[in-house]
Amino acid sequence: MCQLFGFTFILTVAALSYVMNMCPEVLYPDTEEPTGKGLELIPGGVEGYLKVQEEAPVSVYDEEAKRYNFGRFKKPFKNAATHKLNPAQYLTQHKEWHWTALFAQDAIIGVATLQFGYVSHAIAYHYNVTTDEFEKQKTEILLAGLPLGAKHFTEDGAPSSVVNGCSKFNFMSEMSQCYVPDTSAAVVSVNTTFPSGRFEMEYEMDLSSDESLNFVYPIGKNRPSIVSKMSGAPAKGWFKREADTVPTHITGLGMIDWTRSLAARYTVWNWAAFSFVDAKTSSRVGIQLSAGVYEDPEGRGVESVLNIDGKMTAIDKKFIFTKPTEERLLIDTWKVASEDGDIQYTFTPRESVGGAFHLYILDGNLQHMVGTATGTITHKGVTYEFKKIPAVLEEHVALW
């Protein structure tokens, strides 16, 4: 009975999404479908948008002016709430995800909570490059608007931001990603079950001084994507498997990719991320790259970012993701490069923690691959080399 109810619910959402696609002005009178010219229509145009401002506005949405504060900033938003959404928007357009990871010299621990309105996901994984051990847990909940689903909130119940409140998931697994104002730290904790048994972990990232890339991107009129990216912040913590008698302590560099979006119905992207300490300079290096989404009129992504010792540089370049054949997508090596060659590396996947859904007019495939990267980054005349370090890479295609 529960399965039948869940399937009926998904079909209802699919039908609603179809109506939205055919008649968006009926369900969403205050938004429009993406035109590809969003950056050209905002004050200051493309050039104004690409300038990264030092301070972010307190709120993403200006209630008095009834408009969004589109732009890019080095500081996160405290209030990242959208304008008031109607039920159809919240159920079908509104998407949120919060990914954090700790990159050690030879290992990665990753956590993600995803809320897509009609379905919610929680993901945790641990990969040791040296031993080649990989374990993961993924939990999926239909009817994600109910209390069981992934939630992004502050203490007063309002929508959270990356520096205000928590992202939590409490069903079969317990996962939380919270900002602690007194310490300016992001604290991540997990209590879940891997195939080998119970897995617990906790780590924190020091966000007190590092710059980050934060932006509000105009997908369409009154239709934003709100994003915060933090890369290479000092991090430390511990994990404990069921067979362990004592916890294993781990130090490294932390990463965050936080998004709240009134997403386009058809959304495609490639995205990649990793952090490491450079052997020659001892610099902390963190990078997140993307292609296919949030682009300027020249096709350059506006969310790619490089952090060196806490100093952020927006990388406004085209990135080329050269992938294997579909049959060997999760086996063979990928190539990732900026068009000018300043950033180039190979990525070898070990495992994917993504998934797919195919429900007639709702269709999606997300491959969140975990593996290793080898290559170089050249920035301001300095070349940073890395070899077989933990890394992640995504391919995402969705009609949602």
Side-chain angles (χ1 to χ4, degrees), residues 37-46 48-50 68-72 216-218 220:
K37 296 182 179 180
L39 293 183
E40 299 175 353
L41 301 177
I42 65 175
V46 177
Y49 184 88
L50 291 179
Y68 283 92
N69 291 308
F70 293 113
R72 299 198 297 178
V216 186
Y217 181 89

PDB file of all heavy atoms in Angstrom, residues 37-46 48-50 68-72 216-218 220:
ATOM      1  N   LYS A  37      19.864  34.630 -21.171  1.00  0.00           N
ATOM      2  CA  LYS A  37      20.365  36.004 -21.187  1.00  0.00           C
ATOM      3  C   LYS A  37      20.196  36.671 -19.823  1.00  0.00           C
ATOM      4  O   LYS A  37      20.157  37.891 -19.736  1.00  0.00           O
ATOM      5  CB  LYS A  37      19.642  36.807 -22.256  1.00  0.00           C
ATOM      6  CG  LYS A  37      19.881  36.310 -23.676  1.00  0.00           C
ATOM      7  CD  LYS A  37      19.180  37.187 -24.697  1.00  0.00           C
ATOM      8  CE  LYS A  37      19.447  36.700 -26.120  1.00  0.00           C
ATOM      9  NZ  LYS A  37      18.772  37.547 -27.133  1.00  0.00           N
ATOM     10  N   GLY A  38      20.090  35.853 -18.787  1.00  0.00           N
ATOM     11  CA  GLY A  38      19.832  36.402 -17.463  1.00  0.00           C
ATOM     12  C   GLY A  38      20.850  37.425 -17.016  1.00  0.00           C
ATOM     13  O   GLY A  38      20.501  38.474 -16.465  1.00  0.00           O
ATOM     14  N   LEU A  39      22.148  37.150 -17.239  1.00  0.00           N
ATOM     15  CA  LEU A  39      23.193  38.072 -16.793  1.00  0.00           C
ATOM     16  C   LEU A  39      23.121  39.398 -17.533  1.00  0.00           C
ATOM     17  O   LEU A  39      23.501  40.442 -16.997  1.00  0.00           O
ATOM     18  CB  LEU A  39      24.572  37.437 -16.988  1.00  0.00           C
ATOM     19  CG  LEU A  39      24.900  36.218 -16.128  1.00  0.00           C
ATOM     20  CD1 LEU A  39      26.320  35.754 -16.387  1.00  0.00           C
ATOM     21  CD2 LEU A  39      24.704  36.501 -14.655  1.00  0.00           C
ATOM     22  N   GLU A  40      22.648  39.391 -18.763  1.00  0.00           N
ATOM     23  CA  GLU A  40      22.577  40.605 -19.553  1.00  0.00           C
ATOM     24  C   GLU A  40      21.449  41.523 -19.088  1.00  0.00           C
ATOM     25  O   GLU A  40      21.440  42.713 -19.396  1.00  0.00           O
ATOM     26  CB  GLU A  40      22.390  40.262 -21.029  1.00  0.00           C
ATOM     27  CG  GLU A  40      23.542  39.447 -21.617  1.00  0.00           C
ATOM     28  CD  GLU A  40      23.271  39.020 -23.048  1.00  0.00           C
ATOM     29  OE1 GLU A  40      22.141  39.243 -23.518  1.00  0.00           O
ATOM     30  OE2 GLU A  40      24.183  38.478 -23.684  1.00  0.00           O
ATOM     31  N   LEU A  41      20.484  40.974 -18.354  1.00  0.00           N
ATOM     32  CA  LEU A  41      19.304  41.735 -17.987  1.00  0.00           C
ATOM     33  C   LEU A  41      19.398  42.377 -16.606  1.00  0.00           C
ATOM     34  O   LEU A  41      18.578  43.225 -16.266  1.00  0.00           O
ATOM     35  CB  LEU A  41      18.074  40.809 -18.028  1.00  0.00           C
ATOM     36  CG  LEU A  41      17.794  40.139 -19.382  1.00  0.00           C
ATOM     37  CD1 LEU A  41      16.603  39.194 -19.255  1.00  0.00           C
ATOM     38  CD2 LEU A  41      17.530  41.175 -20.460  1.00  0.00           C
ATOM     39  N   ILE A  42      20.379  41.993 -15.793  1.00  0.00           N
ATOM     40  CA  ILE A  42      20.470  42.539 -14.447  1.00  0.00           C
ATOM     41  C   ILE A  42      21.261  43.842 -14.461  1.00  0.00           C
ATOM     42  O   ILE A  42      22.028  44.110 -15.393  1.00  0.00           O
ATOM     43  CB  ILE A  42      21.128  41.529 -13.479  1.00  0.00           C
ATOM     44  CG1 ILE A  42      22.589  41.273 -13.866  1.00  0.00           C
ATOM     45  CG2 ILE A  42      20.341  40.235 -13.443  1.00  0.00           C
ATOM     46  CD1 ILE A  42      23.309  40.382 -12.881  1.00  0.00           C
ATOM     47  N   PRO A  43      21.092  44.707 -13.443  1.00  0.00           N
ATOM     48  CA  PRO A  43      21.858  45.960 -13.375  1.00  0.00           C
ATOM     49  C   PRO A  43      23.359  45.698 -13.419  1.00  0.00           C
ATOM     50  O   PRO A  43      23.868  44.831 -12.720  1.00  0.00           O
ATOM     51  CB  PRO A  43      21.433  46.546 -12.023  1.00  0.00           C
ATOM     52  CG  PRO A  43      20.081  45.971 -11.772  1.00  0.00           C
ATOM     53  CD  PRO A  43      20.114  44.584 -12.355  1.00  0.00           C
ATOM     54  N   GLY A  44      24.056  46.417 -14.283  1.00  0.00           N
ATOM     55  CA  GLY A  44      25.497  46.230 -14.428  1.00  0.00           C
ATOM     56  C   GLY A  44      25.864  45.234 -15.501  1.00  0.00           C
ATOM     57  O   GLY A  44      27.030  45.160 -15.901  1.00  0.00           O
ATOM     58  N   GLY A  45      24.879  44.446 -15.964  1.00  0.00           N
ATOM     59  CA  GLY A  45      25.135  43.513 -17.045  1.00  0.00           C
ATOM     60  C   GLY A  45      26.142  42.443 -16.681  1.00  0.00           C
ATOM     61  O   GLY A  45      26.428  42.182 -15.509  1.00  0.00           O
ATOM     62  N   VAL A  46      26.710  41.822 -17.698  1.00  0.00           N
ATOM     63  CA  VAL A  46      27.642  40.715 -17.499  1.00  0.00           C
ATOM     64  C   VAL A  46      28.883  41.171 -16.744  1.00  0.00           C
ATOM     65  O   VAL A  46      29.323  40.535 -15.782  1.00  0.00           O
ATOM     66  CB  VAL A  46      28.037  40.086 -18.846  1.00  0.00           C
ATOM     67  CG1 VAL A  46      29.074  38.988 -18.634  1.00  0.00           C
ATOM     68  CG2 VAL A  46      26.808  39.524 -19.554  1.00  0.00           C
ATOM     69  N   GLY A  48      29.343  43.682 -14.742  1.00  0.00           N
ATOM     70  CA  GLY A  48      29.041  43.995 -13.349  1.00  0.00           C
ATOM     71  C   GLY A  48      28.865  42.744 -12.509  1.00  0.00           C
ATOM     72  O   GLY A  48      29.302  42.690 -11.359  1.00  0.00           O
ATOM     73  N   TYR A  49      28.241  41.726 -13.108  1.00  0.00           N
ATOM     74  CA  TYR A  49      28.014  40.484 -12.367  1.00  0.00           C
ATOM     75  C   TYR A  49      29.326  39.769 -12.085  1.00  0.00           C
ATOM     76  O   TYR A  49      29.523  39.202 -11.002  1.00  0.00           O
ATOM     77  CB  TYR A  49      27.078  39.562 -13.149  1.00  0.00           C
ATOM     78  CG  TYR A  49      26.732  38.300 -12.387  1.00  0.00           C
ATOM     79  CD1 TYR A  49      25.650  38.268 -11.525  1.00  0.00           C
ATOM     80  CD2 TYR A  49      27.507  37.143 -12.518  1.00  0.00           C
ATOM     81  CE1 TYR A  49      25.336  37.114 -10.815  1.00  0.00           C
ATOM     82  CE2 TYR A  49      27.197  35.990 -11.802  1.00  0.00           C
ATOM     83  CZ  TYR A  49      26.112  35.987 -10.961  1.00  0.00           C
ATOM     84  OH  TYR A  49      25.823  34.856 -10.244  1.00  0.00           O
ATOM     85  N   LEU A  50      30.245  39.770 -13.048  1.00  0.00           N
ATOM     86  CA  LEU A  50      31.476  38.999 -12.899  1.00  0.00           C
ATOM     87  C   LEU A  50      32.416  39.585 -11.849  1.00  0.00           C
ATOM     88  O   LEU A  50      33.294  38.887 -11.337  1.00  0.00           O
ATOM     89  CB  LEU A  50      32.192  38.890 -14.245  1.00  0.00           C
ATOM     90  CG  LEU A  50      31.485  38.033 -15.301  1.00  0.00           C
ATOM     91  CD1 LEU A  50      32.278  38.022 -16.600  1.00  0.00           C
ATOM     92  CD2 LEU A  50      31.265  36.610 -14.813  1.00  0.00           C
ATOM     93  N   TYR A  68      15.790  40.241  -6.330  1.00  0.00           N
ATOM     94  CA  TYR A  68      16.953  39.531  -5.800  1.00  0.00           C
ATOM     95  C   TYR A  68      18.220  40.370  -5.943  1.00  0.00           C
ATOM     96  O   TYR A  68      18.351  41.172  -6.883  1.00  0.00           O
ATOM     97  CB  TYR A  68      17.133  38.195  -6.520  1.00  0.00           C
ATOM     98  CG  TYR A  68      16.164  37.135  -6.052  1.00  0.00           C
ATOM     99  CD1 TYR A  68      14.947  36.945  -6.699  1.00  0.00           C
ATOM    100  CD2 TYR A  68      16.448  36.359  -4.936  1.00  0.00           C
ATOM    101  CE1 TYR A  68      14.040  35.994  -6.251  1.00  0.00           C
ATOM    102  CE2 TYR A  68      15.554  35.406  -4.486  1.00  0.00           C
ATOM    103  CZ  TYR A  68      14.355  35.227  -5.145  1.00  0.00           C
ATOM    104  OH  TYR A  68      13.457  34.289  -4.688  1.00  0.00           O
ATOM    105  N   ASN A  69      19.132  40.182  -5.002  1.00  0.00           N
ATOM    106  CA  ASN A  69      20.435  40.848  -5.058  1.00  0.00           C
ATOM    107  C   ASN A  69      21.399  39.974  -5.850  1.00  0.00           C
ATOM    108  O   ASN A  69      22.262  39.298  -5.292  1.00  0.00           O
ATOM    109  CB  ASN A  69      20.952  41.100  -3.635  1.00  0.00           C
ATOM    110  CG  ASN A  69      20.140  42.136  -2.890  1.00  0.00           C
ATOM    111  OD1 ASN A  69      19.921  43.236  -3.395  1.00  0.00           O
ATOM    112  ND2 ASN A  69      19.675  41.793  -1.695  1.00  0.00           N
ATOM    113  N   PHE A  70      21.236  39.993  -7.176  1.00  0.00           N
ATOM    114  CA  PHE A  70      22.094  39.173  -8.026  1.00  0.00           C
ATOM    115  C   PHE A  70      23.532  39.683  -7.975  1.00  0.00           C
ATOM    116  O   PHE A  70      23.785  40.887  -7.982  1.00  0.00           O
ATOM    117  CB  PHE A  70      21.586  39.188  -9.465  1.00  0.00           C
ATOM    118  CG  PHE A  70      20.256  38.523  -9.657  1.00  0.00           C
ATOM    119  CD1 PHE A  70      19.141  39.252 -10.020  1.00  0.00           C
ATOM    120  CD2 PHE A  70      20.122  37.159  -9.452  1.00  0.00           C
ATOM    121  CE1 PHE A  70      17.909  38.637 -10.193  1.00  0.00           C
ATOM    122  CE2 PHE A  70      18.887  36.527  -9.616  1.00  0.00           C
ATOM    123  CZ  PHE A  70      17.786  37.277  -9.989  1.00  0.00           C
ATOM    124  N   GLY A  71      24.494  38.752  -7.936  1.00  0.00           N
ATOM    125  CA  GLY A  71      25.895  39.132  -7.918  1.00  0.00           C
ATOM    126  C   GLY A  71      26.752  38.043  -7.318  1.00  0.00           C
ATOM    127  O   GLY A  71      26.265  36.966  -6.933  1.00  0.00           O
ATOM    128  N   ARG A  72      28.069  38.331  -7.230  1.00  0.00           N
ATOM    129  CA  ARG A  72      29.027  37.379  -6.645  1.00  0.00           C
ATOM    130  C   ARG A  72      29.773  38.082  -5.512  1.00  0.00           C
ATOM    131  O   ARG A  72      30.139  39.262  -5.624  1.00  0.00           O
ATOM    132  CB  ARG A  72      30.012  36.869  -7.702  1.00  0.00           C
ATOM    133  CG  ARG A  72      29.328  36.140  -8.845  1.00  0.00           C
ATOM    134  CD  ARG A  72      30.296  35.278  -9.645  1.00  0.00           C
ATOM    135  NE  ARG A  72      31.335  36.066 -10.288  1.00  0.00           N
ATOM    136  CZ  ARG A  72      32.331  35.532 -11.013  1.00  0.00           C
ATOM    137  NH1 ARG A  72      32.411  34.218 -11.151  1.00  0.00           N
ATOM    138  NH2 ARG A  72      33.230  36.305 -11.593  1.00  0.00           N
ATOM    139  N   VAL A 216      24.364  34.793  -6.359  1.00  0.00           N
ATOM    140  CA  VAL A 216      22.953  34.638  -6.716  1.00  0.00           C
ATOM    141  C   VAL A 216      22.897  34.789  -8.232  1.00  0.00           C
ATOM    142  O   VAL A 216      23.191  35.859  -8.769  1.00  0.00           O
ATOM    143  CB  VAL A 216      22.066  35.698  -6.040  1.00  0.00           C
ATOM    144  CG1 VAL A 216      20.586  35.411  -6.327  1.00  0.00           C
ATOM    145  CG2 VAL A 216      22.317  35.743  -4.544  1.00  0.00           C
ATOM    146  N   TYR A 217      22.548  33.711  -8.912  1.00  0.00           N
ATOM    147  CA  TYR A 217      22.573  33.671 -10.375  1.00  0.00           C
ATOM    148  C   TYR A 217      21.145  33.731 -10.916  1.00  0.00           C
ATOM    149  O   TYR A 217      20.259  32.997 -10.446  1.00  0.00           O
ATOM    150  CB  TYR A 217      23.252  32.384 -10.843  1.00  0.00           C
ATOM    151  CG  TYR A 217      23.362  32.243 -12.345  1.00  0.00           C
ATOM    152  CD1 TYR A 217      24.474  32.739 -13.025  1.00  0.00           C
ATOM    153  CD2 TYR A 217      22.361  31.613 -13.082  1.00  0.00           C
ATOM    154  CE1 TYR A 217      24.584  32.608 -14.410  1.00  0.00           C
ATOM    155  CE2 TYR A 217      22.459  31.480 -14.455  1.00  0.00           C
ATOM    156  CZ  TYR A 217      23.572  31.983 -15.113  1.00  0.00           C
ATOM    157  OH  TYR A 217      23.676  31.850 -16.486  1.00  0.00           O
ATOM    158  N   PRO A 218      20.896  34.587 -11.922  1.00  0.00           N
ATOM    159  CA  PRO A 218      19.544  34.709 -12.467  1.00  0.00           C
ATOM    160  C   PRO A 218      19.244  33.639 -13.514  1.00  0.00           C
ATOM    161  O   PRO A 218      19.585  33.776 -14.685  1.00  0.00           O
ATOM    162  CB  PRO A 218      19.559  36.110 -13.103  1.00  0.00           C
ATOM    163  CG  PRO A 218      20.989  36.310 -13.514  1.00  0.00           C
ATOM    164  CD  PRO A 218      21.830  35.573 -12.510  1.00  0.00           C
ATOM    165  N   GLY A 220      16.196  32.944 -14.380  1.00  0.00           N
ATOM    166  CA  GLY A 220      15.137  33.625 -15.114  1.00  0.00           C
ATOM    167  C   GLY A 220      14.620  34.755 -14.260  1.00  0.00           C
ATOM    168  O   GLY A 220      15.144  35.034 -13.171  1.00  0.00           O
TER     169      GLY A 220
END
